[in-house]
Amino acid sequence: MTACALTPAHPPGDPARGHPALSTVLYRWDPAARIIRISTTADRLKARQVRNSPHVALHVQGPDVWSFAVAEGEAEVSGDAAELLAFAGEQPDAAAFLEQQARERRVVIRIKVSRLYGTALDLP
């Protein structure tokens, strides 16, 4: 997991301005499926923004100032157990983990990446 910025297309309440709303997040990248998963709580602004406008961009800084990657795509918010486990990875007690996630009202923002670009990409 790495920290990066998630940018919904238009912040709710002020779409006329059109300024993106940035949020630092931890994410997991599944390159085979081209899926990015981000954990948050159901009531956080980023989850509400994705529900209002699913078009997002994720900017990841590379090891130097000129190195970066951007993933653009459609996002959805899911409280599905499989998504929570896919984000968290292997858990010694999946049932206890999911109970904790439910208490914290955890959800996963799932981004289906349609466009990927930048200087830090290791693509064929």
Side-chain angles (χ1 to χ4, degrees), residues 1-4 25-39 58 60 71 82-91 97 108-113:
M1 286 187 275
T2 304
C4 61
V25 297
L26 297 176
Y27 72 95
R28 286 222 188 243
W29 166 238
D30 178 346
R34 291 180 64 100
I35 299 290
I36 295 170
R37 290 179 177 89
I38 299 165
S39 177
L58 184 76
V60 180
E83 290 294 338
L84 291 164
L85 288 168
F87 175 81
E90 193 71 30
Q91 295 296 311
F97 169 78
V108 170
I109 296 173
R110 184 178 187 273
I111 305 169
K112 178 66 177 167
V113 176

Side-chain angles (χ1 to χ4, degrees), residues 48-116:
R48 294 192 321 260
Q49 288 174 323
V50 166
R51 285 185 187 105
N52 290 334
S53 177
H55 308 286
V56 299
L58 184 76
H59 178 272
V60 180
Q61 185 64 44
D64 61 62
V65 70
W66 304 111
S67 180
F68 70 96
V70 175
E72 297 176 345
E74 298 284 319
E76 65 183 9
V77 178
S78 172
D80 182 68
E83 290 294 338
L84 291 164
L85 288 168
F87 175 81
E90 193 71 30
Q91 295 296 311
D93 185 346
F97 169 78
L98 291 171
E99 285 176 20
Q100 178 67 30
Q101 298 298 290
R103 279 193 300 277
E104 294 176 6
R105 301 192 63 226
R106 285 266 158 206
V107 294
V108 170
I109 296 173
R110 184 178 187 273
I111 305 169
K112 178 66 177 167
V113 176
S114 57
R115 183 171 181 228
L116 192 58

